[in-house]
Amino acid sequence: MVHMPELVSYLREALIAGDVETTRDSNHGNAAAFAEGREGYVFGLVPLKTWTAAQVLAVMAERVGIDPDPDRSTGTDVIDPHKTVGALERMRDRLRLAARRRERVIVATGHPAGIIEVHLAIAAALRAAGCELMQPAPGAMFDSPGRYGGREFPLAIRYVGGVAVAAERGIALWHTHSPDGMRAMLADLESRGEAPPDLVVADHGFAGAAAAAGLDVVSFADSNDPALFIGEAEGRVSVTVPIDDNVQPHLYGPVSEFLVEGVASAA
């Protein structure tokens, strides 16, 4: 069993929270980009109101633990590990409920080389508990605009261990912020007359598009990805866990164990 004080210490040691590698420049600049409504930073979850960069930073300070100073744009920054564990507790409670109810769930990630390790563990645990892991639109193509001004290129939805990811030509998995993959998945369900999922566990645009569609979403986000935290502040995302989402995959083991314990207890 993973205990919370030990998990807080571990998150610091593994640089999953605490003094993470995500810089203040990235946090500050991305908050401004979100406030400007730039596509690669909104994740398909267009905010309900106008947010200034300073207001976005204030939300991130409250929910992530970064420095609230809107005038500081350089140096280091932090993710408060106590906030991470608090959000993980809320996510664990929702996963426990999903297992108890045998819900229909979509699990998806735009990070196929990092936090996918947690998504895979969640997917396996929910399946073992009797949940239906939905896998709509396998192979469906969607555009993924380069977040940093790069070219657009088509990607395809592919499922690895029940987790939706983005693939190029079926030979390489890609990092993506695009909401269009989730949009294609939900459109496929609608075209076949199937109900949408009871729960979506995701990140990046997969989570943003699901929340924009009014679905129940629990998510993970880094300190330089404000969209899902703003979505949570607006009541459109149930849980957003502040976490460095791209450390070495094996380092997420204790995070996965903590979350899966909730599913196991329900089962």
Side-chain angles (χ1 to χ4, degrees):
M1 177 178 293
V2 179
H3 299 285
M4 284 183 286
E6 288 82 0
L7 184 56
V8 167
S9 296
Y10 176 78
L11 294 173
R12 290 186 187 276
E13 293 168 5
L15 301 183
I16 294 173
D19 296 325
V20 295
E21 294 186 0
T22 310
T23 65
R24 178 64 179 181
D25 176 71
S26 184
N27 291 342
H28 190 278
N30 290 7
F34 174 85
E36 293 167 4
R38 291 167 58 183
E39 182 179 1
Y41 299 82
V42 176
F43 292 178
L45 188 58
V46 177
L48 297 176
K49 71 168 197 173
T50 299
W51 291 82
T52 66
Q55 288 172 330
V56 174
L57 287 170
V59 169
M60 298 300 286
E62 176 191 357
R63 296 175 183 270
V64 180
I66 69 168
D67 183 351
D69 183 359
D71 295 323
R72 186 170 79 84
S73 60
T74 60
T76 60
D77 218 335
V78 299
I79 294 175
D80 184 340
H82 296 280
K83 294 183 184 295
T84 301
V85 171
L88 286 171
E89 280 191 284
R90 298 194 302 275
M91 180 180 282
R92 183 171 66 173
D93 289 343
R94 183 62 185 88
L95 294 175
R96 181 185 293 114
L97 182 62
R100 186 177 300 130
R101 292 175 172 174
R102 308 290 195 271
E103 289 184 337
R104 301 161 71 246
V105 184
I106 286 178
V107 184
T109 182
H111 258 300
I115 203 169
I116 188 174
E117 186 83 1
V118 183
H119 294 80
L120 288 167
I122 290 172
L126 289 175
R127 179 185 280 139
C131 293
E132 178 187 348
L133 277 186
M134 304 177 73
Q135 300 182 48
M141 304 296 294
F142 66 96
D143 286 333
S144 182
R147 172 170 170 175
Y148 302 104
R151 66 184 177 87
E152 292 192 6
F153 51 88
L155 295 176
I157 296 167
R158 177 164 285 215
Y159 289 90
V160 178
V163 178
V165 293
E168 184 191 19
R169 295 178 295 154
I171 60 173
L173 302 184
W174 274 84
H175 172 280
T176 181
H177 286 228
S178 175
D180 288 339
M182 179 59 71
R183 289 169 178 160
M185 294 156 70
L186 298 179
D188 179 58
L189 291 174
E190 184 178 10
S191 71
R192 292 187 283 110
E194 291 193 32
D198 302 304
L199 178 66
V200 174
V201 183
D203 55 35
H204 287 182
F206 286 112
L215 302 181
D216 193 359
V217 177
V218 295
S219 65
F220 302 94
D222 210 329
S223 59
N224 62 351
D225 289 333
L228 299 177
F229 294 104
I230 296 297
E232 185 180 29
E234 292 186 338
R236 304 165 74 194
V237 177
S238 294
V239 180
T240 302
V241 176
I243 196 167
D244 189 319
D245 53 16
N246 201 33
V247 302
Q248 288 288 337
H250 72 277
L251 294 175
Y252 293 106
V255 175
S256 300
E257 185 180 348
F258 182 80
L259 291 171
V260 167
E261 282 174 358
V263 178
S265 66

